[in-house]
Amino acid sequence: MTDSLVEAVRMRARALFSPARFGQFVGVGFVGAAVDNVVLVLLVEATFLGPVVAKLLSWELGIAVIFAVNERWTFASYGDGGLRALWGRFLRSNVVRLGGFLVTLAVLAVLVWQFDVWYVAANVIGIGVGFFVNYTCESLYTWKVHKE
C-alpha cells in the first residue's frame, strides 16, 4: 500500500472512533426501531395492509426518523448546509440503510441455513453486523466525519 492510502485508512479509522458519537448512534437506532415496530403494529392492526407492505412503510418511516435525529444530534456538525445537501444525505442514508439491511439478512440466512443457528440468535447477530456496517457507512459516506 502507498503511504497516502495508509494515511487515508488511518484518518477514517480515527474518525470512526468516537465513543460519544457511537453512543448517540446506538440510542438513535433504538428510537428508530421503536418507531418501526409501533408503526408496523398500527398498520397491520388498523388497516388492510399485510405485514410485508406494512413493514416496508414502517421501515422507511423508521429510517426517516433515524436520519432526522442523526442529522440534528449525532452528526449535527457534519455535512454541508442547504436543502440540496440535506436531500443528498437523506438519499445516501437510505442506500446505506438498505445495504445494512441486506447485510443483516445475509448473515441471518448463512447462520440459519449453513450453521443451523436458531433464527432469533442469528437475527440478533445479523442486526449487530448490520449495525456496524450502518455506523461505518453513515459516518464515512453520509456525513463524511473524516473530513473535519
Side-chain angles (χ1 to χ4, degrees):
M1 279 198 259
T2 65
D3 287 340
S4 61
L5 178 59
V6 170
E7 184 52 36
V9 170
R10 283 185 185 144
M11 182 176 56
R12 283 162 176 78
R14 281 191 303 270
L16 287 173
F17 188 72
S18 168
R21 188 172 53 243
F22 186 81
Q24 289 171 314
F25 196 83
V26 169
V28 173
F30 280 119
V31 170
V35 168
D36 183 346
N37 282 298
V38 167
V39 171
L40 176 64
V41 169
L42 288 174
L43 288 175
V44 169
E45 298 299 325
T47 72
F48 61 90
L49 296 175
V52 173
V53 174
K55 175 60 182 175
L56 290 172
L57 295 172
S58 68
W59 181 71
E60 182 57 36
L61 184 58
I63 287 173
V65 168
I66 286 170
F67 175 80
V69 177
N70 274 331
E71 178 75 13
R72 289 290 184 187
W73 185 43
T74 311
F75 300 103
S77 60
Y78 300 97
D80 295 333
L83 191 56
R84 186 172 187 178
L86 178 68
W87 183 246
R89 283 192 300 279
F90 181 69
L91 291 176
R92 285 192 305 272
S93 183
N94 268 267
V95 169
V96 165
R97 296 289 172 164
L98 178 59
F101 172 73
L102 293 175
V103 167
T104 299
L105 187 62
V107 169
L108 176 122
V110 167
L111 290 176
V112 168
W113 293 334
Q114 297 296 317
F115 298 100
D116 202 28
V117 174
W118 181 42
Y119 74 94
V120 174
N123 189 49
V124 169
I125 294 167
I127 287 170
V129 174
F131 168 82
F132 284 104
V133 169
N134 284 336
Y135 177 71
T136 301
C137 293
E138 289 280 39
S139 295
L140 298 178
Y141 179 66
T142 303
W143 280 281
K144 301 177 188 297
V145 299
H146 58 288
K147 293 187 176 185
E148 295 187 311

